[in-house]
Amino acid sequence: MTFPHSIQLARNPEEAAPRAASLLAGEIAADPRIVVGLATGGSMRAVYDDLIEQGRTGVLDLGALRAFNLDEYLGLAGSDPNAYAFEMRSVFFGPAGIDLARTDIPRGDAPDPVAEAERYEASIRAAGGIDRQLLGLGTNGHIGFNEPGSSFASRTRVVDLAPDTRTANARYFPPGREVPTQAITMGIATILEARRIVLLATGPAKAAAVAAMIAGPRHPDCPASALQAHPHVDVILDVASAAALPA
Ligand code: GLP
């Protein structure tokens, strides 16, 4: 299958992130009550910084956004500095002045994680679904925490993290602290229901995953290749992450 979506190529991460931010900003400007799906990870910081700045200067009204995050580490409470809930509050919701009641993220410390995953799906549905989902890309091709082998029909659920994901994410944890072994993540089918998706992947570590997503078969070995069948994905790359694409 050939990749049917728009691909933007920036020179470097600094030029790529504002392009993702500007896609989101345009849609928020058109409808401040839009439902957005958000992602964590280093690549997203500059996207959030850009949106915060547009909010601060009055260019954009971020106050009415409804936001759902992709995933959370299982076992971490939202107050844990390594929890994605904590990260989102510090890098986006707090500085952007977004009411936390309008945000949702799976609870990593839920007493019943299976019920929590079901609650999360229902919460997205009750909000009318996601209008624009922001995605990063794992070095192994994961989206959210849907690791290689994940079914394309998967919904929000508890997953085991792949060893290479735990290694890649160890840089965000203090020395001596283990990366959790499990997470709750939106499923691939959940992600594919978003009306529009923007995937941002930069840097040489993502080159193989980018090539598999775009030029490989649509197969669970590369979870991001599921996006080949979505009707509207904007892919934003830099020269380094695009390096392994066929000419
Ligand atoms: C984590 C997240 C993913 C994200 C990936 C890439 O594993 N669960 O949703 O896409 O990291 O992160 P980074 O931007 O830090 O490379």
Side-chain angles (χ1 to χ4, degrees), residues 40-43 70-71 84 136-137 142 144-145 169 171-172 206:
T40 45
S43 324
L70 281 168
D71 46 17
Y84 284 160
L137 181 66
H142 77 207
F145 271 136
N169 288 3
R171 68 188 190 280
Y172 298 120
K206 305 288 171 74

Side-chain angles (χ1 to χ4, degrees), residues 128-215:
I130 291 169
D131 294 305
R132 175 66 87 166
Q133 175 70 52
L134 178 59
L135 285 183
L137 181 66
T139 50
N140 64 0
H142 77 207
I143 46 175
F145 271 136
N146 293 283
E147 302 286 26
S150 296
S151 162
F152 287 176
S154 56
R155 315 295 315 190
T156 304
R157 69 203 185 288
V158 175
V159 292
D160 293 333
L161 297 180
D164 41 2
T165 294
R166 296 184 65 231
T167 304
N169 288 3
R171 68 188 190 280
Y172 298 120
F173 284 73
R177 186 168 190 201
E178 292 265 313
V179 179
T181 55
Q182 290 187 305
I184 300 180
T185 183
M186 279 189 205
I188 294 184
T190 318
I191 293 170
L192 291 179
E193 279 171 10
R195 287 180 265 278
R196 294 176 302 282
I197 293 173
V198 51
L199 182 140
L200 172 65
T202 56
K206 305 288 171 74
V210 164
M213 166 178 78
I214 292 177

Side-chain angles (χ1 to χ4, degrees), residues 78-114:
S79 55
D80 188 306
N82 283 110
Y84 284 160
F86 188 97
E87 176 177 333
M88 288 307 297
R89 287 199 302 277
S90 3
V91 305
F92 189 47
F93 300 145
I98 294 172
D99 178 3
L100 291 182
R102 299 189 63 75
T103 71
D104 207 344
I105 183 163
R107 266 191 56 192
D109 64 345
D112 181 346
V114 173

Side-chain angles (χ1 to χ4, degrees), residues 200-233:
L200 172 65
T202 56
K206 305 288 171 74
V210 164
M213 166 178 78
I214 292 177
R218 186 172 185 269
H219 189 278
D221 283 351
C222 176
S225 69
L227 301 174
Q228 293 173 8
H230 189 278
H232 185 140
V233 185

Side-chain angles (χ1 to χ4, degrees), residues 14-151:
E14 294 70 32
E15 285 185 9
R19 296 193 191 192
S22 118
L23 268 179
L24 282 166
E27 291 170 0
I28 297 167
D31 176 8
R33 299 181 62 82
I34 189 175
V35 181
V36 291
L38 299 177
T40 45
S43 324
M44 300 302 150
R45 297 291 175 90
V47 177
Y48 296 136
D49 286 347
D50 193 310
L51 291 174
I52 291 163
E53 184 61 13
Q54 295 194 51
R56 201 185 58 78
T57 53
V59 177
L60 217 52
D61 172 14
L62 300 170
L65 272 190
R66 183 88 171 87
F68 289 91
N69 262 81
L70 281 168
D71 46 17
E72 179 61 283
Y73 290 111
L74 197 68
L76 301 195
S79 55
D80 188 306
N82 283 110
Y84 284 160
F86 188 97
E87 176 177 333
M88 288 307 297
R89 287 199 302 277
S90 3
V91 305
F92 189 47
F93 300 145
I98 294 172
D99 178 3
L100 291 182
R102 299 189 63 75
T103 71
D104 207 344
I105 183 163
R107 266 191 56 192
D109 64 345
D112 181 346
V114 173
E116 173 61 5
E118 282 167 18
R119 178 201 69 78
Y120 203 65
E121 284 278 330
S123 178
I124 295 171
R125 228 174 294 122
I130 291 169
D131 294 305
R132 175 66 87 166
Q133 175 70 52
L134 178 59
L135 285 183
L137 181 66
T139 50
N140 64 0
H142 77 207
I143 46 175
F145 271 136
N146 293 283
E147 302 286 26
S150 296
S151 162

